[in-house]
Amino acid sequence: MTAAKDGFRVVPGGALTGITTVPGDKSLSHRAVMFTALAHGTSRIKGWLPAGDTEATLDSVQRLGVRVERHSPHELTIHGGAFVKPERELNLVNAGTGIRLLTGIMVGQPFESVLDGTEQLRRRPMNRIIQPLRLMGANIDSMNGYAPLTVKPAALKGVQYAMPMASAQVKSAILLAALFAEGETAVTQPGPARDHTERMLAAMGASLHEEGNTVYVQPGHALTPTNLTVPADISSAAFPIAAALIVPGSDITLTNINLNPTRTGLIDVLLEMGANLTVTETGLEAGEPVGTIRVRHSVLKGVRVGGDVVVRMIDEFPIFMVLALNAEGETRVQDASELRVKETDRLAVMVGELAKLGAVITETQDGFSLKGAQSLKGAETYGHDDHRISMSLVVASLAAKGESFVNDARCASDSFPGFAEVMRGIGAEISVVDVQGAEQ
Ligand code: S3P
């Protein structure tokens, strides 16, 4: 195997077993920091995700003058209130949720700000937020629809907007700007994009209600500080879930997982594929249903995926492709062209990288099709600095014949710090090799 920069060495082995959990929900962790930063007073956040993406959001609110006390990596006190003009640009690093939601907040501030990030973030389309925010009167300059974004003070007015794509980031940016606008805003979504912003803003005193696919916001209700505990991220749980399904003899249980129905599309599709999954709701955290998921190795069958379920599992398609390869019969995915504008073009990158393990997958404009079950062989692959790609390739390698090396281990911690440790905890043989070649 060729020398690697940094990566995961994966040796397929025995069954995965045990009880575990995964870090806090990334979507909720971004929102918890931004929304409590806006609320005048002291809020406490537990179970917070200390990952690359969310740390960038935390750093940004601190640059806006918000004082943060850090009790542990997962526990924060946020002293929210009026923002001050930042001395430098707000650097959202790789975080699409961070830049899009924060732009929705910055358009309502009485000072100029610049929002930027890595080269990867600068390739993500921003017109999808710039266009509706401009309709509200926002003053935003961009590099032809890409970051850096320069936001200048402007008077905002409510808007009625029908989103062309089902995107929680776009919906949230508009709902946040609506808090600072004059008059009501109504956003209509074509599909059920995750509703964390609506739940959290309403719990903090915003005037917001839903009718069908439309969310209405009335401005003029200050947000109140809150204490909340972030449950574990189902999008991170998807990796051990997939590994247990495809490694023979496995039986694992994941606790405290966020089961918000706008996030559980993968579970619904897996049940349709014959997965041996038991989901038990145990309560509510941060206004979201949480529970336990038990997963046993299963003989999966191929499935057709399209329509509304796509947005409810949008971050799970890289790992779903791995599951489909291990399922008997044909799988077809359509209506998933949004995958092409994530951290990478996740359709093209996954098809290309899985081919190195011997997979045969037909890429289509808005999805893919394949015939399973395919047997894969160990190989060297690349994560393309995309966390979900790296972790999906690790899980694919666990069900391959022979050792694999997945380059780009670092980016897994953009959403799932401790990924290798959690996987090792249930029995997977995964080690992290750093730039110097040291292995842990
Ligand atoms: C997110 C929304 C989704 C998702 C992303 C997190 C959010 O993006 O892919 O990982 O927290 O609002 P889109 O809004 O672009 O679909």
Side-chain angles (χ1 to χ4, degrees):
M1 219 137 278
T2 52
K5 269 199 333 211
D6 74 321
F8 295 107
R9 185 183 308 287
V10 185
V11 184
L16 307 177
T17 54
I19 300 178
T20 189
T21 190
V22 295
D25 189 287
K26 178 156 82 71
S27 292
L28 287 175
S29 295
H30 279 298
R31 286 163 173 81
V33 161
M34 289 187 211
F35 302 175
T36 58
L38 282 171
H40 284 254
T42 302
S43 296
R44 185 93 163 198
I45 307 170
K46 294 183 181 170
W48 191 73
L49 170 72
D53 279 15
T54 47
E55 294 286 357
T57 288
L58 188 64
D59 177 68
S60 294
V61 302
Q62 288 175 287
R63 286 189 199 194
L64 289 162
V66 172
R67 193 160 68 81
V68 174
E69 283 176 76
R70 195 138 197 180
H71 310 288
S72 78
H74 312 279
E75 196 168 340
L76 312 169
T77 295
I78 310 277
H79 298 274
F83 292 168
V84 296
K85 183 174 165 34
E87 279 171 17
R88 286 179 287 141
E89 86 283 353
L90 303 173
N91 179 2
L92 280 311
V93 190
N94 276 347
T97 304
I99 195 168
R100 293 196 178 112
L101 270 62
L102 201 53
T103 302
I105 293 174
M106 298 323 292
V107 293
Q109 305 305 313
F111 51 77
E112 182 175 324
S113 55
V114 177
L115 299 97
D116 202 358
T118 56
E119 284 307 313
Q120 187 193 81
L121 193 66
R122 285 180 173 193
R123 288 194 294 269
R124 309 277 305 269
M126 293 298 149
N127 274 337
R128 51 182 56 203
I129 57 162
I130 294 172
Q131 208 191 356
L133 293 175
R134 278 189 184 149
L135 288 176
M136 299 177 79
N139 183 340
I140 308 176
D141 280 335
S142 71
M143 300 292 284
N144 296 318
Y146 295 91
L149 305 178
T150 303
V151 179
K152 294 189 178 133
L156 304 180
K157 55 184 188 312
V159 74
Q160 291 191 352
Y161 188 71
M163 299 195 314
M165 75 291 284
S167 159
Q169 294 177 358
V170 175
K171 175 174 62 172
S172 300
I174 301 167
L175 295 178
L176 288 163
L179 298 177
F180 304 97
E182 207 183 302
E184 184 182 79
T185 289
V187 189
T188 302
Q189 44 184 350
R194 63 192 70 191
D195 63 358
H196 307 306
T197 297
E198 295 90 308
R199 287 174 187 247
M200 205 181 284
L201 287 180
M204 293 177 72
S207 171
L208 186 143
H209 71 279
E210 280 176 60
E211 278 170 38
N213 283 338
T214 302
V215 188
Y216 298 86
V217 185
Q218 298 280 353
H221 299 260
L223 297 182
T224 47
T226 187
N227 295 333
L228 57 90
T229 301
V230 177
D233 197 326
I234 193 163
S235 296
S236 298
F239 301 103
I241 289 173
L245 285 169
I246 63 182
V247 175
S250 298
D251 184 352
I252 65 164
T253 298
L254 296 153
T255 57
N256 191 37
I257 307 297
N258 186 353
L259 298 175
N260 179 320
T262 60
R263 297 286 299 280
T264 49
L266 179 70
I267 301 288
D268 296 346
V269 169
L270 283 170
L271 290 171
E272 205 182 323
M273 295 169 82
N276 191 341
L277 286 178
T278 315
V279 180
T280 313
E281 228 174 277
T282 51
L284 274 181
E285 286 287 10
E288 311 259 334
V290 300
T292 296
I293 304 178
R294 181 172 178 192
V295 192
R296 279 166 277 191
H297 169 253
S298 306
V299 177
L300 300 174
K301 54 182 193 301
V303 69
R304 282 174 180 259
V305 180
D308 274 0
V309 76
V310 169
V311 66
R312 296 176 48 242
M313 59 182 284
I314 193 66
D315 290 336
E316 281 61 82
F317 279 98
I319 191 63
F320 175 71
M321 206 183 268
V322 175
L323 286 156
L325 281 171
N326 284 278
E328 283 168 6
E330 192 181 24
T331 291
R332 272 179 188 276
V333 171
Q334 58 183 42
D335 304 324
S337 53
E338 275 292 301
L339 294 173
R340 297 201 181 276
V341 290
K342 295 294 176 188
E343 282 80 337
T344 57
D345 176 340
R346 286 183 169 162
L347 286 172
V349 170
M350 280 304 289
V351 168
E353 291 302 320
L354 287 170
K356 296 176 183 170
L357 295 162
V360 180
I361 304 169
T362 306
E363 185 183 336
T364 60
Q365 183 274 322
D366 67 344
F368 67 90
S369 67
L370 62 83
K371 285 208 171 62
Q374 299 186 19
S375 40
L376 305 182
K377 56 180 190 325
E380 180 177 6
T381 56
Y382 286 82
H384 296 246
D385 200 25
D386 181 334
H387 49 128
R388 301 203 203 283
I389 301 276
S390 284
M391 293 186 279
S392 299
L393 293 170
V394 167
V395 174
S397 305
L398 278 175
K401 278 197 187 65
E403 184 178 319
S404 291
F405 198 97
V406 183
N407 289 284
D408 283 345
R410 187 218 53 80
C411 62
S413 58
D414 279 352
S415 64
F416 193 162
F419 165 69
E421 288 83 346
V422 169
M423 296 301 291
R424 275 202 294 265
I426 53 173
E429 206 177 311
I430 298 170
S431 49
V432 183
V433 181
D434 71 15
V435 188
Q436 278 80 37
E439 193 157 342
Q440 334 160 345

